[in-house]
Amino acid sequence: MANQKEPLVTHIFTADPSAHVFDGKLYVYPSHDLAHDGEDNDEGDEYQMEDYHVLSMDSLDAPCVDNGEALHMKDVPWVSKQMWAPDCAFKDGKYYLYFPARDKEGNFRIGVAISDNPAGPFKPEDNYIQGTFSIDPAVLVDDDEESYIYFGGLWGGQLEKWVTGSFNPDGAEPKEEGAHEVRPRVAKLNKDMISLAEEPREIVILDENGNELLASDEDRRYFEGPWMHKYNGKYYYSYSTGTTHYLVYAIGDSPYGPFTYQGRILEPVIGWTTHHSIVEYNGKWYLFYHDSEMSNGVNHRRCVKFRELKYNPDGTIICMKPYED
Ligand code: FUB
């Protein structure tokens, strides 16, 4: 049985969980951390993942099943290394696995692989999705069946190198006083789910006074790991703050934003990163996330966990402490 706040699986290291309910079952699409002893740095070189395994649970009381290898780097022609945080979406009878990886030039791009089965195996497209860059795809299939892909991550994820619209190897987070944050991106997907319907748009996150979040506001500014869910008709855009290690969220009226910052979802966990998803299952809401508790804090040996997430009557999310409540 899967226990809240315990690792979902212990036989492999897993991270970056994207949880979905397909056909009444819970499916989790995590990264698969490799337990190497290589370098750990700000470029994320420690995250040397090569494949994906899909986890599933028949119910929250049932054991968590590892469905085996769903996609391996060696089968994706455009990838050179680092299969990072994936997501999955369902449309018209097919499952689409979205994943970031470095292309042959060393730039992160986002690819897609397709299956008839939510557990895979997934067959990759020959090339990455044209117009994509950086990391951490998260896909919303909205109530009107339009789909949106959210993405972007700083530092190792290269988002700050794309602010001009093309790759600048010297691109950096702005340091000038008053500079707005490096904006994450969103784009509508075409009906085929494997191509962008538009140029990626920049997402604006506002503070309580209607001013855009500043790059220097590390407690609140976007770093990586976007997720989009809808609650009572509002769009909840949530993400990791990276250097300050919070999961936070902002609310808007459109899938494109702007979103207004609301507060924290989860206080820092053991390990440098956390990365999350939020899903409704049988009338309750759950936060899936990771920490490095299973490896006593090794950044790239992480484990996926989940816990119930609750809202206040006004729609704000009750902030959680990972090891106290
Ligand atoms: O797992 C590799 C990277 O670490 C992810 O893409 C980021 O979100 C962070 O969790």
Side-chain angles (χ1 to χ4, degrees):
M1 147 156 179
N3 288 316
Q4 296 206 26
K5 294 175 264 177
E6 297 292 329
L8 267 189
V9 293
T10 55
H11 65 294
I12 54 173
F13 291 108
T14 55
D16 308 324
S18 292
H20 292 277
V21 177
F22 294 133
D23 283 335
K25 270 174 74 165
L26 262 164
Y27 288 87
V28 183
Y29 300 83
S31 301
H32 175 197
D33 280 349
L34 289 184
H36 63 86
D37 292 317
E39 192 186 352
D40 183 335
N41 58 31
D42 286 351
E43 293 303 306
D45 287 338
E46 64 273 32
Y47 301 117
Q48 290 295 342
M49 298 84 106
E50 296 180 353
D51 67 357
Y52 297 110
H53 286 222
V54 180
L55 308 178
S56 62
M57 289 181 279
D58 284 344
S59 74
L60 285 178
D61 297 326
C64 183
V65 174
D66 174 356
N67 293 279
E69 188 178 285
L71 179 68
H72 194 282
M73 196 172 89
K74 67 176 166 31
D75 298 318
V76 191
W78 62 270
V79 167
S80 64
K81 61 180 181 175
Q82 292 182 303
M83 305 269 272
W84 284 12
D87 190 19
C88 187
F90 175 71
K91 187 84 184 289
D92 299 334
K94 301 260 184 232
Y95 296 87
Y96 297 86
L97 183 74
Y98 300 89
F99 56 95
R102 285 190 196 256
D103 66 12
K104 305 287 188 201
E105 272 78 55
N107 295 343
F108 271 105
R109 304 285 187 173
I110 295 169
V112 60
I114 306 169
S115 179
D116 294 328
N117 185 331
F122 289 86
K123 186 174 179 310
E125 291 294 292
D126 285 344
N127 208 342
Y128 58 80
I129 302 173
Q130 298 304 294
T132 63
F133 49 86
S134 194
I135 59 167
D136 292 355
V139 171
L140 170 76
V141 180
D142 209 345
D143 303 328
D144 61 3
E145 293 295 304
E146 297 288 359
S147 302
Y148 302 87
I149 184 165
Y150 298 84
F151 60 95
L154 298 177
W155 294 15
Q158 303 177 331
L159 182 62
E160 68 275 22
K161 300 185 190 307
W162 286 95
V163 288
T164 59
S166 56
F167 186 78
N168 169 12
D170 301 321
E173 282 183 272
K175 292 277 181 282
E176 320 85 71
E177 204 182 321
H180 68 69
E181 66 173 350
V182 178
R183 296 171 180 153
R185 305 296 207 277
V186 57
K188 190 181 276 192
L189 287 165
N190 279 319
K191 301 274 180 240
D192 63 10
M193 298 294 276
I194 60 171
S195 58
L196 301 188
E198 59 188 357
E199 289 280 310
R201 303 185 191 196
E202 298 188 347
I203 292 175
V204 171
I205 307 171
L206 305 171
D207 68 12
E208 63 283 9
N209 299 315
N211 299 316
E212 186 166 4
L213 293 186
L214 301 182
S216 57
D217 186 356
E218 294 188 32
D219 280 354
R220 302 193 292 181
R221 66 96 171 77
Y222 180 90
F223 190 90
E224 65 184 6
W227 189 255
M228 173 58 70
H229 77 282
K230 285 179 86 175
Y231 181 75
N232 287 345
K234 297 276 187 194
Y235 293 84
Y236 284 59
Y237 182 67
S238 45
Y239 55 93
S240 303
T241 62
T243 47
T244 48
H245 317 294
Y246 301 120
L247 288 180
V248 300
Y249 72 108
I251 298 180
D253 292 318
S254 150
Y256 292 117
F259 303 102
T260 301
Y261 180 88
Q262 302 291 318
R264 294 180 192 161
I265 300 171
L266 189 70
E267 298 286 343
V269 298
I270 295 169
W272 200 87
T273 68
T274 189
H275 180 125
H276 77 298
S277 58
I278 295 170
V279 68
E280 185 179 18
Y281 183 62
N282 288 344
K284 290 187 171 181
W285 289 87
Y286 295 91
L287 175 74
F288 283 74
Y289 61 104
H290 70 234
D291 70 12
S292 298
E293 189 174 26
M294 208 169 93
S295 64
N296 293 319
V298 180
N299 286 339
H300 65 278
R301 296 182 195 175
R302 300 167 289 180
C303 57
V304 166
K305 300 178 172 183
F306 75 101
R307 57 187 296 155
E308 193 177 344
L309 172 146
K310 293 185 176 155
Y311 299 85
N312 290 305
D314 67 358
T316 54
I317 293 174
I318 299 176
C319 178
M320 294 169 275
K321 294 190 173 134
Y323 309 103
E324 284 176 34
D325 46 47

